[in-house]
Amino acid sequence: MVNAIVVATVCFVLFLATHIIVFHKTDVRRKFRTMLFIAIAFCLLGCGLILFISGGTLQIQLSNTSARYLLYLGILLFYFSLSYCYFHTVVVIDRSISVRLLVEIASARDKGLTEQEIRKRYSVRGKFRDELRDLVFLKRVTEDKGVYKNTAQGQRHARIVSFLRSYLNLSTHR
Amino acid sequence: MMSQIIACLITAMICVGAHMIFFYLQRRPLQFESPVRKLLYQGKVVLAIWVLFAPLVVVFQNMFEPTGMDRVIYQGMTGRYASLVFATAFFFYLFFLYLTAYYMVDRSVSSRIMIEIETSPDGTIAFDRLSQAYDVDAKYRDQLNGMLQGGFVVREQDTYKCTMKGLFVARIAYFFKTVLRLGAGG
């Protein structure tokens, strides 16, 4: 298990570095797909390393007690990581605009919608209102007579995201 | 190790079932002031269920261990595959964690709103000006183009229709939205 955790962590760090370099140096068009391909490539590298390590002499040796505690820790991590993955799925299903539009198109009478019909069924302005309500609740933004202003937390958030968007060549108009 | 992994997976499936039953059996959908409060509540319920059912992992593990599952697995090549499964799961867990941060940077509407406020001349913005600055038309176009590129919808003349892939996602989403009483969302 220790080998698995070490290899997975190393491969993840390599994935992260590659992803940042590729996105920074090149103008990637299909961003999510590219990121997924990089992740799969490093996952396969990890699988190869696991097979190599467990068959060779690089196996990490631990005392019985340490190994037992690490096993418990690993299982706990694995168990709660499943809850995170599940919750993340629920959040994406609830919050994603694309998922909402897909549900609207699939549930339409003719199983299809024009752009005008989509605009009637889903309001982007309503989305902005919801987001602003969330930001006020999260204390990122304050509202005074219909005028919104960033708090210190909101300013920090905006600056970090602006920097990352420009560094990773991500669209600034999302 | 394999007995613990299987125990975790079975317990997690029970937790998912318990979460769905909890929300499905509510007589009236819960009302929240804002979407983030709804998700915070969902998150707390998920965590509470996972903590509550955690002892089941030990119960299941104790059920599987005497069968010699681990011993049999460690003796053969399957020992390597058990590590492989765990490493892959752990890698994708880290990837999921990173995806949350990535989406907050790349796609988040709230991040964009904070940037618009930050870059406005006096550091404040009214709702109507925000709608103009954000460009609602471009937002619709971006979403639909992304769905076309991803192969979730096709465009036939002026009409957008779901592909098989899009229909599959839509049905899963509809199931979750209905069972967990999430509302229309988006």
Side-chain angles (χ1 to χ4, degrees), chain B:
Chain B
M1 185 168 79
M2 207 58 185
S3 61
Q4 283 99 339
I5 290 177
I6 292 171
C8 280
L9 288 173
I10 292 173
T11 313
M13 278 194 279
I14 292 171
C15 291
V16 171
H19 180 232
M20 287 180 172
I21 289 167
F22 178 83
F23 279 98
Y24 193 67
L25 291 184
Q26 307 246 347
R27 282 185 186 168
R28 275 181 302 173
L30 297 162
Q31 300 293 323
F32 296 93
E33 284 173 44
S34 66
V36 79
R37 286 189 193 218
K38 177 179 71 182
L39 290 177
L40 280 174
Y41 181 70
Q42 287 276 354
K44 281 177 192 168
V45 173
V46 168
L47 191 63
I49 289 171
W50 244 261
V51 170
L52 199 72
F53 284 89
L56 271 185
V57 177
V58 182
V59 173
F60 283 127
Q61 198 241 319
N62 286 336
M63 274 168 65
F64 297 138
E65 217 170 21
T67 62
M69 183 188 281
D70 292 331
R71 208 172 47 249
V72 170
I73 285 168
Y74 279 125
Q75 277 166 0
M77 272 294 285
T78 34
R80 287 185 194 187
Y81 298 129
S83 291
L84 208 119
V85 168
F86 188 81
T88 308
F90 191 67
F91 178 85
F92 277 103
Y93 166 59
L94 295 175
F95 181 64
F96 251 73
L97 277 178
Y98 176 67
L99 265 189
T100 310
Y102 177 80
Y103 272 110
M104 198 176 70
V105 172
D106 185 34
R107 299 281 175 96
S108 165
V109 175
S110 51
S111 294
R112 172 77 192 279
I113 289 173
M114 281 185 277
I115 292 170
E116 290 298 342
I117 297 173
E118 191 63 15
T119 52
S120 62
D122 55 351
T124 61
I125 205 164
F127 185 77
D128 285 335
R129 225 175 79 211
L130 175 73
S131 297
Q132 283 171 0
Y134 205 122
D135 195 353
V136 172
D137 291 336
K139 183 73 185 161
Y140 279 111
R141 260 197 319 273
D142 275 356
Q143 287 296 331
L144 291 169
N145 282 341
M147 286 156 70
L148 278 170
Q149 268 189 350
F152 293 98
V153 290
V154 285
R155 192 174 177 173
E156 290 174 7
Q157 289 163 343
D158 284 342
T159 308
Y160 291 92
K161 288 189 172 178
C162 282
T163 59
M164 286 303 283
K165 186 176 161 187
L167 210 57
F168 178 71
V169 175
R171 282 185 182 156
I172 289 176
Y174 183 75
F175 171 77
F176 271 93
K177 280 175 191 271
T178 311
V179 172
L180 299 178
R181 295 176 187 267
L182 293 170

Side-chain angles (χ1 to χ4, degrees), chain A residues 19 30 54 75 77 79 84 86 94-95 98 100 113 119 122 133-134 137 148 150 157 159 165 174, chain B residues 4 19 34-35 37 50 80 90 98 100 105-106 111 114 118 125 134 137 140 143 160 185-186:
Chain A
H19 154 65
R30 304 281 306 270
S54 53
I75 292 303
L77 197 71
Y79 178 65
Y84 179 77
Y86 171 65
D94 183 52
R95 303 297 285 151
S98 311
R100 166 75 191 272
L113 291 174
R119 281 170 185 252
Y122 179 76
R133 254 201 318 260
D134 283 351
F137 170 70
Y148 296 91
N150 279 339
H157 184 108
R159 283 172 195 162
R165 278 186 179 182
R174 288 283 192 187
Chain B
Q4 283 99 339
H19 180 232
S34 66
R37 286 189 193 218
W50 244 261
R80 287 185 194 187
F90 191 67
Y98 176 67
T100 310
V105 172
D106 185 34
S111 294
M114 281 185 277
E118 191 63 15
I125 205 164
Y134 205 122
D137 291 336
Y140 279 111
Q143 287 296 331
Y160 291 92

